[in-house]
Amino acid sequence: MEQAIRNTLKDYNLRSTSCREDILGTFLNKEVALSHGDIEDSLGERFDRVTIYRTLKTFLEKGLIHKVLDDEGIRYALCKDNCSEQDHHHDHIHFKCVECGQTNCLANVHIPSVQLPDGYQASEVNLLIQGRCPACT
Amino acid sequence: MEQAIRNTLKDYNLRSTSCREDILGTFLNKEVALSHGDIEDSLGERFDRVTIYRTLKTFLEKGLIHKVLDDEGIRYALCKDNCSEQDHHHDHIHFKCVECGQTNCLANVHIPSVQLPDGYQASEVNLLIQGRCPACT
DNA sequence: TTTATAATGCAACGTTGTTGCAAGAGATAT
DNA sequence: ATATCTCTTGCAACAACGTTGCATTATAAA
């Protein structure tokens, strides 16, 4: 596990540091979309707030994580497909439960293609569905 | 126009105040999704920041506006259909141009229905497409 | 082990959003 | 037109969120 995380960082041309390892580990554990605050809470006082911000920014730029839209702000989740600095492809859907507040990725559910009016060029698609998850129904 | 705005406020059981009239007027003029900051900039120093926050909150609760998810935070747009406190229905799509930064509503384009896994109940759907708008292609 | 480069922590700052409370304005009935 | 009740506003103070510059420390490669 530890080693797998290090390898992932290496694959993305990132140096291994304890902060990066812990944050990546948190994403792997939780499997839901996390906000900066969630990560801060989960890691305790081990790292500076600023370092967490910068780590998230770095992960974003390298294509390790992507933004997840949320009605309360911005969250982040691991990229499932192999994204890179150049190329992002996320056609999956995020579901946020209004009851328990968890946001997670509905893998396997594909976004049906949308017919855009003339002149519009899509590069990224984000779909957030809010409602109740199976655990809260 | 002035009178139309007052009537709209009345329809939603809201007292007419200059702040509410101006904010509603701004939404009617701009026709794009606005953030709190956009509104603040557009209205100048006429109203307190706090009042703008509270006005947006009130408009939200009464069903006059709805949240539009954005990769930089949260924006608001007028409800087109007749929404109310109880009942919101927004199946339209928002398009954000990565070039000019404007977010607007693609009326006429409907969100294709999504087949959710068992146990999930959807109550609200938000679709944001990012790319280039006709003016920036 | 040395060295070049990158990441971290700290401090300071700016922005964004919230709450309580006193003063002021809107709507209604008289 | 006025009095009255209620809702809205502005102010102050605060909390949360996010950014930048710089000195120090850690990583990876020679």
Side-chain angles (χ1 to χ4, degrees):
Chain A
M1 179 66 175
E2 306 286 304
Q3 195 52 50
I5 289 176
R6 284 167 191 237
N7 288 339
T8 303
L9 288 173
K10 194 162 197 176
D11 290 346
Y12 284 87
N13 286 310
L14 292 169
R15 287 190 181 175
S16 280
T17 67
S18 61
C19 180
R20 287 177 179 173
E21 289 170 11
D22 286 11
I23 291 183
L24 180 48
T26 305
F27 277 113
L28 290 167
N29 279 332
K30 305 263 179 166
E31 287 188 327
V32 297
L34 302 172
S35 66
H36 173 273
D38 293 336
I39 294 168
E40 210 179 338
D41 292 345
S42 138
L43 296 185
E45 307 254 307
R46 259 181 299 162
F47 307 103
D48 195 89
R49 259 162 22 86
V50 178
T51 304
I52 300 177
Y53 278 115
R54 289 199 265 230
T55 302
L56 289 173
K57 200 179 204 172
T58 305
F59 282 6
L60 258 186
E61 285 165 2
K62 296 289 183 174
L64 234 164
I65 60 175
H66 64 278
K67 286 188 182 181
V68 175
L69 305 184
D70 188 285
D71 67 330
E72 292 168 38
I74 294 170
R75 293 173 178 276
Y76 304 91
L78 283 180
C79 294
K80 303 273 174 160
D81 323 334
N82 293 337
C83 294
S84 70
E85 212 152 344
Q86 294 75 34
D87 191 31
H88 273 269
H89 33 102
H90 296 291
D91 283 357
H92 51 249
I93 294 172
H94 289 273
F95 187 93
K96 175 170 184 180
C97 179
V98 294
E99 201 69 38
C100 64
Q102 282 205 347
T103 302
N104 40 31
C105 177
L106 296 184
N108 310 324
V109 182
H110 239 257
I111 295 184
S113 69
V114 174
Q115 191 65 43
L116 291 175
D118 277 357
Y120 286 91
Q121 293 183 347
S123 61
E124 206 180 319
V125 177
N126 280 284
L127 179 52
L128 177 74
I129 300 179
Q130 287 173 279
R132 281 164 193 276
C133 72
C136 295
T137 308
Chain B
M1 180 64 175
E2 305 287 306
Q3 194 53 49
I5 288 177
R6 284 167 190 238
N7 288 339
T8 303
L9 288 173
K10 194 162 198 176
D11 290 346
Y12 283 87
N13 285 310
L14 291 169
R15 286 190 183 174
S16 281
T17 68
S18 62
C19 180
R20 287 177 179 172
E21 289 169 12
D22 286 11
I23 291 182
L24 181 48
T26 305
F27 277 112
L28 290 166
N29 278 332
K30 305 264 180 164
E31 286 188 329
V32 297
L34 302 172
S35 67
H36 174 273
D38 293 336
I39 294 169
E40 210 178 338
D41 292 345
S42 138
L43 296 185
E45 306 255 309
R46 259 182 299 160
F47 307 102
D48 195 88
R49 261 166 18 88
V50 178
T51 305
I52 300 177
Y53 278 114
R54 289 200 265 231
T55 302
L56 289 173
K57 200 177 204 173
T58 305
F59 282 6
L60 259 185
E61 285 165 0
K62 296 289 182 173
L64 234 164
I65 61 176
H66 64 279
K67 287 187 181 180
V68 175
L69 304 184
D70 188 285
D71 68 330
E72 292 170 38
I74 294 171
R75 292 173 178 277
Y76 304 90
L78 284 181
C79 294
K80 305 271 174 162
D81 324 332
N82 293 336
C83 294
S84 70
E85 211 152 344
Q86 294 76 33
D87 192 32
H88 274 269
H89 32 104
H90 297 291
D91 282 358
H92 51 247
I93 294 172
H94 289 272
F95 187 93
K96 176 171 183 178
C97 180
V98 294
E99 201 70 37
C100 63
Q102 281 205 348
T103 303
N104 41 29
C105 177
L106 297 183
N108 309 326
V109 182
H110 238 257
I111 295 184
S113 68
V114 174
Q115 191 66 41
L116 290 175
D118 277 357
Y120 286 91
Q121 293 183 347
S123 61
E124 208 180 318
V125 177
N126 282 283
L127 180 51
L128 177 75
I129 300 179
Q130 287 172 276
R132 282 165 192 275
C133 71
C136 295
T137 308

